[in-house]
DNA sequence: TTTGGCATGTAATCCGTTACATGATTAG
DNA sequence: CTAATCATGTAACGGATTACATGCCAAA
Protein backbone atom coordinates (compact mmCIF):
# COMPACT_ATOMS: atom_id res chain seq x y z
CA UNK A 1 0.00 0.00 0.00
CA UNK A 2 2.84 2.36 -0.63
CA UNK A 3 2.25 6.01 -1.45
CA UNK A 4 -0.99 5.93 0.47
CA UNK A 5 -0.51 7.77 3.73
CA UNK A 6 -0.80 5.63 6.81
CA UNK A 7 -3.85 6.16 8.95
CA UNK A 8 -2.22 4.73 12.03
CA UNK A 9 -1.34 8.14 13.53
CA UNK A 10 -4.92 9.31 13.22
CA UNK A 11 -6.35 6.23 14.89
CA UNK A 12 -3.99 6.90 17.75
CA UNK A 13 -4.89 10.57 17.95
CA UNK A 14 -8.58 9.73 17.85
CA UNK A 15 -8.33 7.28 20.71
CA UNK A 16 -6.24 9.72 22.74
CA UNK A 17 -9.12 12.21 22.61
CA UNK A 18 -11.01 9.81 24.88
CA UNK A 19 -8.22 9.65 27.46
CA UNK A 20 -4.42 9.55 27.75
CA UNK A 21 -3.02 6.10 27.13
CA UNK A 22 0.09 4.01 26.69
CA UNK A 23 0.90 2.25 23.42
CA UNK A 24 -0.22 -0.97 25.00
CA UNK A 25 -3.53 0.63 25.94
CA UNK A 26 -4.04 1.94 22.42
CA UNK A 27 -3.62 -1.54 21.03
CA UNK A 28 -6.07 -2.92 23.59
CA UNK A 29 -8.59 -0.15 22.85
CA UNK A 30 -8.42 -0.92 19.13
CA UNK A 31 -8.93 -4.63 19.71
CA UNK A 32 -11.78 -3.97 22.11
CA UNK A 33 -13.71 -1.25 20.35
CA UNK A 34 -12.99 -0.95 16.64
CA UNK A 35 -11.73 -4.40 15.69
CA UNK A 36 -14.83 -4.75 13.50
CA UNK A 37 -13.33 -2.36 11.01
CA UNK A 38 -9.77 -1.62 12.09
CA UNK A 39 -6.60 -3.23 13.38
CA UNK A 40 -3.06 -2.18 14.16
CA UNK A 41 0.04 -4.08 15.22
CA UNK A 42 2.68 -3.04 17.73
CA UNK A 43 5.09 -2.83 14.85
CA UNK A 44 3.04 0.10 13.60
CA UNK A 45 1.93 1.63 16.87
CA UNK A 46 5.21 2.19 18.69
CA UNK A 47 7.05 3.84 15.80
CA UNK A 48 3.95 5.94 15.07
CA UNK A 49 3.77 7.11 18.70
CA UNK A 50 7.43 8.03 18.59
CA UNK A 51 6.87 10.11 15.49
CA UNK A 52 3.73 11.77 16.85
CA UNK A 53 5.77 12.79 19.86
CA UNK A 54 8.53 14.26 17.71
CA UNK A 55 5.92 16.20 15.76
CA UNK A 56 4.41 17.58 18.93
CA UNK A 57 1.02 15.99 18.40
CA UNK A 58 1.24 14.10 21.68
CA UNK A 59 2.99 14.58 24.99
CA UNK A 60 4.70 11.76 26.80
CA UNK A 61 4.93 11.22 30.53
CA UNK A 62 6.34 8.47 32.68
CA UNK A 63 3.54 6.67 34.45
CA UNK A 64 5.11 3.45 35.71
CA UNK A 65 4.60 2.20 39.20
CA UNK A 66 8.02 1.46 40.67
CA UNK A 67 10.75 0.65 38.18
CA UNK A 68 8.28 -0.38 35.55
CA UNK A 69 8.49 1.46 32.26
CA UNK A 70 5.24 2.98 31.11
CA UNK A 71 4.79 5.87 28.73
CA UNK A 72 1.47 7.64 28.88
CA UNK A 73 0.65 9.74 25.84
CA UNK A 74 -1.81 12.62 25.72
CA UNK A 75 -3.02 14.53 22.69
CA UNK A 76 -2.00 18.17 22.29
CA UNK A 77 -3.87 21.01 20.63
CA UNK A 78 -1.71 20.59 17.56
CA UNK A 79 -2.66 16.92 17.58
CA UNK A 80 -6.34 17.82 17.75
CA UNK A 81 -5.94 20.13 14.81
CA UNK A 82 -4.18 17.43 12.78
CA UNK A 83 -6.91 14.94 13.63
CA UNK A 84 -9.62 17.40 12.73
CA UNK A 85 -7.93 18.16 9.45
CA UNK A 86 -7.75 14.48 8.54
CA UNK A 87 -11.34 13.80 9.60
CA UNK A 88 -12.47 16.60 7.32
CA UNK A 89 -10.79 15.21 4.22
CA UNK A 90 -12.91 12.97 2.01
CA UNK A 91 -12.48 9.27 2.62
CA UNK A 92 -9.86 8.04 0.19
CA UNK A 93 -11.07 5.05 -1.78
CA UNK A 94 -8.93 1.98 -1.33
CA UNK A 95 -8.83 -1.38 -2.90
CA UNK A 96 -11.33 -3.85 -1.65
CA UNK A 97 -10.22 -7.43 -1.61
CA UNK A 98 -12.60 -10.19 -0.76
CA UNK A 99 -11.02 -13.60 -1.00
CA UNK A 100 -14.31 -15.39 -0.38
CA UNK A 101 -15.82 -13.74 -3.46
CA UNK A 102 -12.72 -14.48 -5.48
CA UNK A 103 -13.01 -18.16 -4.71
CA UNK A 104 -16.69 -18.20 -5.49
CA UNK A 105 -16.03 -16.39 -8.77
CA UNK A 106 -13.93 -19.36 -9.85
CA UNK A 107 -16.36 -21.76 -8.21
CA UNK A 108 -16.95 -23.78 -11.37
CA UNK A 109 -13.62 -25.46 -10.72
CA UNK A 110 -14.54 -26.57 -7.24
CA UNK A 111 -16.41 -29.62 -6.04
CA UNK A 112 -19.89 -28.81 -4.88
CA UNK A 113 -19.13 -30.05 -1.38
CA UNK A 114 -16.12 -27.76 -0.91
CA UNK A 115 -18.06 -24.78 -2.14
CA UNK A 116 -20.86 -25.49 0.29
CA UNK A 117 -18.30 -25.75 3.06
CA UNK A 118 -16.92 -22.29 2.22
CA UNK A 119 -20.42 -20.87 2.21
CA UNK A 120 -21.47 -22.47 5.47
CA UNK A 121 -18.35 -21.06 7.09
CA UNK A 122 -19.19 -17.65 5.67
CA UNK A 123 -22.74 -17.91 6.99
CA UNK A 124 -21.55 -18.87 10.44
CA UNK A 125 -19.00 -16.05 10.50
CA UNK A 126 -21.52 -13.44 9.41
CA UNK A 127 -24.13 -14.61 11.91
CA UNK A 128 -21.57 -14.65 14.70
CA UNK A 129 -20.44 -11.17 13.77
CA UNK A 130 -23.99 -9.84 13.81
CA UNK A 131 -24.58 -11.42 17.21
CA UNK A 132 -21.27 -10.09 18.53
CA UNK A 133 -22.08 -6.57 17.44
CA UNK A 134 -25.47 -6.79 19.09
CA UNK A 135 -23.76 -7.75 22.33
CA UNK A 136 -21.34 -4.83 22.10
CA UNK A 137 -24.21 -2.43 21.48
CA UNK A 138 -25.97 -3.64 24.61
CA UNK A 139 -22.79 -3.41 26.63
CA UNK A 140 -22.01 0.13 25.46
CA UNK A 141 -25.50 1.37 26.18
CA UNK A 142 -25.26 0.31 29.81
CA UNK A 143 -21.59 0.92 30.64
CA UNK A 144 -20.93 4.00 28.48
CA UNK A 145 -24.23 5.80 28.66
CA UNK A 146 -22.40 8.98 29.68
CA UNK A 147 -19.74 8.95 27.00
CA UNK A 148 -20.10 11.91 24.64
CA UNK A 149 -18.93 9.68 21.76
CA UNK A 150 -21.60 7.04 22.35
CA UNK A 151 -23.95 8.02 19.54
CA UNK A 152 -21.12 7.87 17.01
CA UNK A 153 -19.92 4.52 18.26
CA UNK A 154 -23.41 3.13 17.91
CA UNK A 155 -23.67 4.44 14.34
CA UNK A 156 -20.53 2.59 13.27
CA UNK A 157 -21.71 -0.60 14.93
CA UNK A 158 -24.99 -0.25 13.09
CA UNK A 159 -23.27 -0.44 9.71
CA UNK A 160 -21.31 -3.46 10.85
CA UNK A 161 -24.51 -5.15 11.93
CA UNK A 162 -26.33 -4.39 8.68
CA UNK A 163 -23.42 -5.57 6.56
CA UNK A 164 -23.10 -8.79 8.53
CA UNK A 165 -26.81 -9.41 8.14
CA UNK A 166 -26.65 -8.80 4.39
CA UNK A 167 -23.77 -11.28 4.13
CA UNK A 168 -25.67 -13.86 6.13
CA UNK A 169 -28.77 -13.49 3.98
CA UNK A 170 -26.68 -13.74 0.86
CA UNK A 171 -24.97 -16.91 2.12
CA UNK A 172 -28.34 -18.47 2.92
CA UNK A 173 -29.77 -17.56 -0.49
CA UNK A 174 -26.62 -18.81 -2.24
CA UNK A 175 -26.68 -22.13 -0.42
CA UNK A 176 -30.24 -22.53 -1.68
CA UNK A 177 -29.40 -21.51 -5.22
CA UNK A 178 -26.42 -23.83 -5.44
CA UNK A 179 -28.62 -26.87 -4.97
CA UNK A 180 -30.31 -25.98 -8.27
CA UNK A 181 -27.16 -25.49 -10.33
CA UNK A 182 -25.90 -27.91 -12.98
CA UNK A 183 -23.34 -30.46 -11.88
CA UNK A 184 -19.83 -29.05 -11.80
CA UNK A 185 -16.99 -29.74 -14.19
CA UNK A 186 -14.42 -31.19 -11.86
CA UNK B 1 0.79 -7.75 4.71
CA UNK B 2 3.94 -9.75 5.03
CA UNK B 3 3.87 -13.44 5.76
CA UNK B 4 0.51 -13.71 4.08
CA UNK B 5 0.91 -15.41 0.72
CA UNK B 6 0.01 -13.35 -2.30
CA UNK B 7 -3.17 -14.26 -4.11
CA UNK B 8 -2.12 -12.60 -7.33
CA UNK B 9 -0.95 -15.85 -9.01
CA UNK B 10 -4.30 -17.49 -8.32
CA UNK B 11 -6.30 -14.62 -9.75
CA UNK B 12 -4.21 -14.95 -12.89
CA UNK B 13 -4.64 -18.72 -13.06
CA UNK B 14 -8.38 -18.37 -12.53
CA UNK B 15 -8.78 -15.89 -15.35
CA UNK B 16 -6.63 -18.01 -17.65
CA UNK B 17 -9.12 -20.86 -17.25
CA UNK B 18 -11.55 -18.72 -19.25
CA UNK B 19 -9.13 -18.16 -22.13
CA UNK B 20 -5.44 -17.56 -22.84
CA UNK B 21 -4.45 -13.96 -22.31
CA UNK B 22 -1.61 -11.46 -22.17
CA UNK B 23 -0.66 -9.64 -18.97
CA UNK B 24 -2.38 -6.59 -20.34
CA UNK B 25 -5.53 -8.61 -20.95
CA UNK B 26 -5.45 -10.00 -17.42
CA UNK B 27 -5.34 -6.49 -16.01
CA UNK B 28 -8.23 -5.46 -18.26
CA UNK B 29 -10.25 -8.54 -17.29
CA UNK B 30 -9.76 -7.79 -13.60
CA UNK B 31 -10.82 -4.17 -14.04
CA UNK B 32 -13.80 -5.20 -16.13
CA UNK B 33 -15.15 -8.17 -14.23
CA UNK B 34 -13.99 -8.39 -10.62
CA UNK B 35 -13.10 -4.81 -9.74
CA UNK B 36 -15.96 -4.89 -7.24
CA UNK B 37 -13.89 -7.07 -4.96
CA UNK B 38 -10.41 -7.32 -6.43
CA UNK B 39 -7.62 -5.29 -8.02
CA UNK B 40 -4.10 -5.85 -9.22
CA UNK B 41 -1.44 -3.54 -10.58
CA UNK B 42 1.03 -4.19 -13.39
CA UNK B 43 3.76 -4.11 -10.79
CA UNK B 44 2.25 -7.30 -9.37
CA UNK B 45 1.00 -8.94 -12.55
CA UNK B 46 4.10 -9.04 -14.72
CA UNK B 47 6.47 -10.46 -12.09
CA UNK B 48 3.78 -12.96 -11.08
CA UNK B 49 3.33 -14.11 -14.69
CA UNK B 50 7.08 -14.53 -15.02
CA UNK B 51 7.16 -16.71 -11.92
CA UNK B 52 4.14 -18.75 -12.95
CA UNK B 53 5.92 -19.47 -16.21
CA UNK B 54 9.07 -20.57 -14.41
CA UNK B 55 6.99 -22.86 -12.22
CA UNK B 56 5.33 -24.42 -15.24
CA UNK B 57 1.84 -23.29 -14.29
CA UNK B 58 1.42 -21.36 -17.53
CA UNK B 59 2.83 -21.59 -21.06
CA UNK B 60 3.94 -18.55 -22.96
CA UNK B 61 3.68 -17.96 -26.69
CA UNK B 62 4.43 -15.01 -28.93
CA UNK B 63 1.23 -13.60 -30.31
CA UNK B 64 2.19 -10.20 -31.66
CA UNK B 65 1.09 -8.99 -35.08
CA UNK B 66 4.16 -7.78 -36.91
CA UNK B 67 7.06 -6.67 -34.74
CA UNK B 68 4.78 -5.95 -31.83
CA UNK B 69 5.64 -7.78 -28.64
CA UNK B 70 2.78 -9.73 -27.12
CA UNK B 71 3.02 -12.68 -24.76
CA UNK B 72 -0.02 -14.89 -24.58
CA UNK B 73 -0.20 -17.07 -21.50
CA UNK B 74 -2.24 -20.29 -21.18
CA UNK B 75 -2.82 -22.35 -18.07
CA UNK B 76 -1.30 -25.83 -17.85
CA UNK B 77 -2.57 -28.91 -16.06
CA UNK B 78 -0.14 -28.23 -13.24
CA UNK B 79 -1.58 -24.71 -13.09
CA UNK B 80 -5.10 -26.08 -12.86
CA UNK B 81 -4.07 -28.35 -10.03
CA UNK B 82 -2.45 -25.46 -8.15
CA UNK B 83 -5.56 -23.33 -8.63
CA UNK B 84 -7.81 -26.13 -7.47
CA UNK B 85 -5.67 -26.67 -4.41
CA UNK B 86 -5.88 -23.01 -3.46
CA UNK B 87 -9.61 -22.80 -4.10
CA UNK B 88 -10.11 -25.75 -1.76
CA UNK B 89 -8.30 -24.15 1.16
CA UNK B 90 -10.43 -22.21 3.64
CA UNK B 91 -10.56 -18.50 3.07
CA UNK B 92 -7.90 -16.92 5.23
CA UNK B 93 -9.31 -14.15 7.37
CA UNK B 94 -7.71 -10.79 6.77
CA UNK B 95 -8.00 -7.48 8.40
CA UNK B 96 -10.84 -5.29 7.33
CA UNK B 97 -10.18 -1.60 7.24
CA UNK B 98 -12.97 0.83 6.66
CA UNK B 99 -11.84 4.44 6.71
CA UNK B 100 -15.37 5.77 6.47
CA UNK B 101 -16.30 3.98 9.69
CA UNK B 102 -13.12 5.15 11.35
CA UNK B 103 -13.98 8.77 10.62
CA UNK B 104 -17.53 8.32 11.80
CA UNK B 105 -16.27 6.67 14.99
CA UNK B 106 -14.48 9.92 15.81
CA UNK B 107 -17.38 11.94 14.44
CA UNK B 108 -17.87 13.90 17.66
CA UNK B 109 -14.90 16.01 16.64
CA UNK B 110 -16.34 16.95 13.29
CA UNK B 111 -18.71 19.70 12.32
CA UNK B 112 -22.18 18.44 11.56
CA UNK B 113 -21.97 19.73 8.00
CA UNK B 114 -18.75 17.84 7.19
CA UNK B 115 -20.15 14.64 8.64
CA UNK B 116 -23.27 14.97 6.54
CA UNK B 117 -21.08 15.52 3.48
CA UNK B 118 -19.18 12.28 4.17
CA UNK B 119 -22.43 10.42 4.57
CA UNK B 120 -24.05 11.84 1.46
CA UNK B 121 -20.97 10.84 -0.51
CA UNK B 122 -21.17 7.37 0.97
CA UNK B 123 -24.85 7.14 0.06
CA UNK B 124 -24.19 8.23 -3.51
CA UNK B 125 -21.31 5.78 -3.86
CA UNK B 126 -23.31 2.87 -2.50
CA UNK B 127 -26.31 3.64 -4.70
CA UNK B 128 -24.11 4.01 -7.75
CA UNK B 129 -22.42 0.73 -6.97
CA UNK B 130 -25.73 -1.07 -6.64
CA UNK B 131 -26.91 0.39 -9.94
CA UNK B 132 -23.62 -0.47 -11.63
CA UNK B 133 -23.82 -4.06 -10.48
CA UNK B 134 -27.36 -4.31 -11.75
CA UNK B 135 -26.16 -3.15 -15.16
CA UNK B 136 -23.34 -5.69 -15.20
CA UNK B 137 -25.78 -8.46 -14.31
CA UNK B 138 -28.02 -7.52 -17.20
CA UNK B 139 -25.06 -7.32 -19.56
CA UNK B 140 -23.68 -10.70 -18.52
CA UNK B 141 -27.03 -12.41 -18.89
CA UNK B 142 -27.32 -11.34 -22.50
CA UNK B 143 -23.72 -11.44 -23.73
CA UNK B 144 -22.42 -14.38 -21.68
CA UNK B 145 -25.44 -16.61 -21.54
CA UNK B 146 -23.34 -19.53 -22.80
CA UNK B 147 -20.42 -19.11 -20.39
CA UNK B 148 -20.13 -22.09 -18.04
CA UNK B 149 -18.97 -19.72 -15.28
CA UNK B 150 -22.02 -17.47 -15.55
CA UNK B 151 -23.90 -18.76 -12.51
CA UNK B 152 -20.87 -18.23 -10.30
CA UNK B 153 -20.25 -14.76 -11.62
CA UNK B 154 -23.86 -13.84 -10.88
CA UNK B 155 -23.54 -15.16 -7.34
CA UNK B 156 -20.58 -12.91 -6.58
CA UNK B 157 -22.34 -9.91 -8.07
CA UNK B 158 -25.33 -10.69 -5.87
CA UNK B 159 -23.30 -10.24 -2.71
CA UNK B 160 -21.90 -6.99 -4.05
CA UNK B 161 -25.41 -5.76 -4.74
CA UNK B 162 -26.73 -6.75 -1.33
CA UNK B 163 -23.79 -5.16 0.47
CA UNK B 164 -24.13 -1.94 -1.49
CA UNK B 165 -27.83 -1.83 -0.70
CA UNK B 166 -27.17 -2.38 3.00
CA UNK B 167 -24.64 0.46 2.96
CA UNK B 168 -27.09 2.75 1.20
CA UNK B 169 -29.86 1.97 3.67
CA UNK B 170 -27.47 2.55 6.56
CA UNK B 171 -26.37 5.89 5.13
CA UNK B 172 -29.99 6.98 4.73
CA UNK B 173 -30.89 5.91 8.26
CA UNK B 174 -27.76 7.59 9.66
CA UNK B 175 -28.48 10.86 7.88
CA UNK B 176 -31.91 10.79 9.52
CA UNK B 177 -30.53 9.92 12.94
CA UNK B 178 -27.89 12.64 12.83
CA UNK B 179 -30.52 15.34 12.62
CA UNK B 180 -31.68 14.29 16.08
CA UNK B 181 -28.28 14.26 17.77
CA UNK B 182 -27.07 16.86 20.25
CA UNK B 183 -25.00 19.73 18.90
CA UNK B 184 -21.37 18.80 18.40
CA UNK B 185 -18.40 19.89 20.44
CA UNK B 186 -16.29 21.58 17.81
C1' DT C 1 0.95 13.98 -37.20
C1' DT C 2 -0.51 13.40 -32.96
C1' DT C 3 -3.37 11.24 -29.66
C1' DG C 4 -4.88 7.25 -27.45
C1' DG C 5 -4.85 2.51 -26.76
C1' DC C 6 -2.00 -1.68 -26.74
C1' DA C 7 1.86 -3.68 -24.50
C1' DT C 8 5.80 -4.96 -21.37
C1' DG C 9 8.52 -4.42 -17.72
C1' DT C 10 11.55 -2.44 -13.58
C1' DA C 11 12.87 0.49 -9.53
C1' DA C 12 11.88 3.00 -5.59
C1' DT C 13 9.45 3.20 -1.76
C1' DC C 14 6.41 2.52 1.87
C1' DC C 15 2.99 -0.17 4.46
C1' DG C 16 2.19 -3.71 7.64
C1' DT C 17 2.84 -8.17 9.84
C1' DT C 18 5.35 -11.51 12.30
C1' DA C 19 8.95 -12.86 15.02
C1' DC C 20 12.10 -11.81 18.19
C1' DA C 21 14.14 -9.78 22.47
C1' DT C 22 13.48 -8.29 27.06
C1' DG C 23 11.78 -7.65 31.50
C1' DA C 24 8.46 -6.23 35.58
C1' DT C 25 4.28 -7.20 38.13
C1' DT C 26 0.36 -9.69 39.73
C1' DA C 27 -2.85 -13.41 40.62
C1' DG C 28 -3.47 -18.18 41.56
C1' DC D 1 6.51 -20.77 41.87
C1' DT D 2 4.69 -19.96 37.65
C1' DA D 3 1.67 -18.48 34.29
C1' DA D 4 -0.66 -14.59 32.55
C1' DT D 5 -0.70 -9.96 31.74
C1' DC D 6 1.50 -5.58 31.37
C1' DA D 7 4.81 -3.21 28.68
C1' DT D 8 8.17 -1.53 25.12
C1' DG D 9 10.53 -1.80 21.25
C1' DT D 10 13.29 -3.50 16.77
C1' DA D 11 14.53 -6.31 12.63
C1' DA D 12 13.44 -8.90 8.79
C1' DC D 13 10.67 -9.55 5.23
C1' DG D 14 7.11 -9.58 1.86
C1' DG D 15 3.17 -7.27 -0.38
C1' DA D 16 1.54 -3.58 -3.17
C1' DT D 17 1.41 0.82 -5.37
C1' DT D 18 3.25 4.44 -8.12
C1' DA D 19 6.24 6.31 -11.23
C1' DC D 20 9.12 5.70 -14.75
C1' DA D 21 11.00 3.93 -19.22
C1' DT D 22 10.03 2.35 -23.73
C1' DG D 23 7.88 1.56 -28.04
C1' DC D 24 4.26 -0.16 -31.71
C1' DC D 25 -0.01 0.54 -34.11
C1' DA D 26 -4.34 2.59 -35.65
C1' DA D 27 -7.48 6.20 -36.19
C1' DA D 28 -8.65 11.01 -36.48
Amino acid sequence: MARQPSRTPFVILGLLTVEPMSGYDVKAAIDRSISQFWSESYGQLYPALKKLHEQGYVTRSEGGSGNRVRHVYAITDAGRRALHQWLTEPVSPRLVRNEMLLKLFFGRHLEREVLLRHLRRELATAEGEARGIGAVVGMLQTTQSEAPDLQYWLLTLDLGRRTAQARAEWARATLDRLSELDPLDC
Side-chain angles (χ1 to χ4, degrees), chain A residues 172-185:
Chain A
R172 266 189 289 268
T174 304
L175 282 165
D176 288 348
R177 268 218 258 172
L178 273 188
S179 356
E180 300 156 20
L181 246 62
D182 292 339
L184 305 166
D185 87 341

Side-chain angles (χ1 to χ4, degrees), chain A residues 2 9 18 36 47 55 58 64-65 76 78 81-82 85 89 93 118 124 128 141 147 149 160 173 176-177:
Chain A
V18 181
Q36 279 300 318
Q55 292 171 316
V58 300
S65 56
T76 64
R81 280 194 299 274
Q85 162 67 27
E89 286 163 21
H118 285 338
Q141 279 171 334
D149 289 294
D176 288 348
R177 268 218 258 172

Side-chain angles (χ1 to χ4, degrees), chain A residues 100 104 112-124 127 167-181:
Chain A
M100 169 72 215
L104 185 66
R112 173 75 43 104
E113 202 29 66
V114 180
L115 210 54
L116 294 178
R117 204 149 62 221
H118 285 338
L119 282 165
R120 284 192 214 106
R121 205 180 292 115
E122 177 75 6
L123 176 57
E127 281 178 336
R167 269 167 56 214
E169 280 160 29
W170 167 83
R172 266 189 289 268
T174 304
L175 282 165
D176 288 348
R177 268 218 258 172
L178 273 188
S179 356
E180 300 156 20
L181 246 62

Side-chain angles (χ1 to χ4, degrees), chain A residues 68-128:
Chain A
R68 195 156 170 185
V69 187
R70 183 182 152 92
H71 303 142
V72 178
Y73 296 92
I75 191 167
T76 64
D77 283 342
R80 279 177 203 279
R81 280 194 299 274
L83 174 64
H84 182 265
Q85 162 67 27
W86 178 75
L87 287 173
T88 304
E89 286 163 21
V91 172
S92 55
R94 311 227 162 191
L95 85 159
V96 182
R97 288 186 155 190
N98 186 327
E99 188 176 318
M100 169 72 215
L101 280 187
L102 191 60
K103 291 196 171 176
L104 185 66
F105 190 80
F106 298 126
R108 183 167 68 87
H109 306 285
L110 260 190
E111 293 86 359
R112 173 75 43 104
E113 202 29 66
V114 180
L115 210 54
L116 294 178
R117 204 149 62 221
H118 285 338
L119 282 165
R120 284 192 214 106
R121 205 180 292 115
E122 177 75 6
L123 176 57
T125 308
E127 281 178 336

Side-chain angles (χ1 to χ4, degrees), chain A residues 126-175:
Chain A
E127 281 178 336
E129 214 169 279
R131 264 199 309 277
I133 293 176
V136 174
V137 167
M139 193 262 285
L140 281 182
Q141 279 171 334
T142 57
T143 67
Q144 302 287 313
S145 59
E146 299 305 308
D149 289 294
L150 179 63
Q151 296 306 316
Y152 298 96
W153 298 348
L154 292 178
L155 289 177
T156 65
L157 289 169
D158 188 39
L159 178 58
R161 213 200 67 242
R162 286 172 189 258
T163 308
Q165 274 172 355
R167 269 167 56 214
E169 280 160 29
W170 167 83
R172 266 189 289 268
T174 304
L175 282 165

